[in-house]
Amino acid sequence: MDPYRWSWNPEALVLVPLMAIAYFVVLRRYPASRWRIACFLGAMGLILAVTITPLETLAVNYLLVVHLLQNVVLAEWAPLLFVLGLPPALAATLARPRIVRVLVHPLVALPLWLANYMLWHLPWLYDTALEHPHTLLHLEHALYFTTGVAMWWSVFQDAPHRLSDGARAGVVFAAFVLGSPIGL
């Protein structure tokens, strides 16, 4: 297998453009500054970079370090940029449903994010996901992104839970102090 082949991941090639289209349609009602739009586009670019480029092939078939980079991008960097890309008024609207309010609460979001990381690093599940890249590995990546969005939401969006600066710093500190041993 060519280590530099592109991976035509249908989930990424369908979901990323759909999210981008939805984002730009919603911007008509909830305008965003240029830096927020750049953050959102950065998130979409990162997702595509680690799911359809040769990085995907290298991550799945050759280099553990690239796989770990892929996980960090999907669980931390892309979700962070996605959350920063949301205009506050849009975030407040999205946070209205009870389930969203619960999931983005830092006392729920942080443990979910950590539990997700821990679950996918159990050796038997980790190996099984790598053996089934078109099903379990895609599910792993989707859950990394989803729980990452919830975790970063609790830090950078004021709706539905406005945290003090100290609490925000505490969530980020806890995430990386508690998450680092799992990743290592």
Side-chain angles (χ1 to χ4, degrees):
M1 174 180 290
D2 178 13
Y4 302 106
R5 78 173 177 85
W6 286 66
S7 175
W8 300 109
N9 177 332
E11 290 87 0
L13 290 170
V14 171
L15 291 176
V16 168
L18 285 177
M19 285 192 300
I21 290 167
Y23 181 78
F24 284 104
V25 167
V26 168
L27 285 185
R28 292 180 186 162
R29 182 167 182 191
Y30 301 98
S33 62
R34 287 185 180 166
W35 75 266
R36 286 194 186 277
I37 294 169
C39 286
F40 180 85
L41 292 174
M44 298 301 103
L46 282 174
I47 292 169
L48 289 175
V50 299
T51 58
I52 68 167
T53 71
L55 286 174
E56 167 79 358
T57 304
L58 291 170
V60 172
N61 299 299
Y62 296 100
L63 297 171
L64 176 63
V65 69
V66 178
H67 175 76
L68 297 176
L69 172 66
Q70 184 182 48
N71 288 350
V72 168
V73 166
L74 293 170
E76 298 168 26
W77 301 349
L80 169 61
L81 289 173
F82 178 87
V83 169
L84 289 173
L86 297 176
L90 173 59
T93 300
L94 293 173
R96 284 187 188 141
R98 179 169 165 52
I99 187 71
V100 175
R101 288 193 318 268
V102 169
L103 290 174
V104 300
H105 190 285
L107 295 177
V108 174
L110 178 59
L112 276 177
W113 182 77
L114 290 167
N116 185 55
Y117 243 129
M118 189 177 305
L119 175 73
W120 288 106
H121 283 87
L122 294 172
W124 63 271
L125 187 55
Y126 184 91
D127 291 340
T128 304
L130 285 177
E131 291 166 6
H132 299 90
H134 299 294
T135 53
L136 279 180
L137 190 60
H138 291 179
L139 174 63
E140 174 186 350
H141 292 164
L143 289 172
Y144 277 157
F145 183 77
T146 304
T147 59
V149 166
M151 195 271 294
W152 286 114
W153 190 297
S154 72
V155 174
F156 286 105
Q157 291 293 343
D158 290 336
H161 313 285
R162 183 173 177 83
L163 300 179
S164 69
D165 290 343
R168 292 172 197 254
V171 170
V172 173
F173 181 76
F176 294 100
V177 165
L178 297 171
S180 292
I182 297 167
L184 293 175

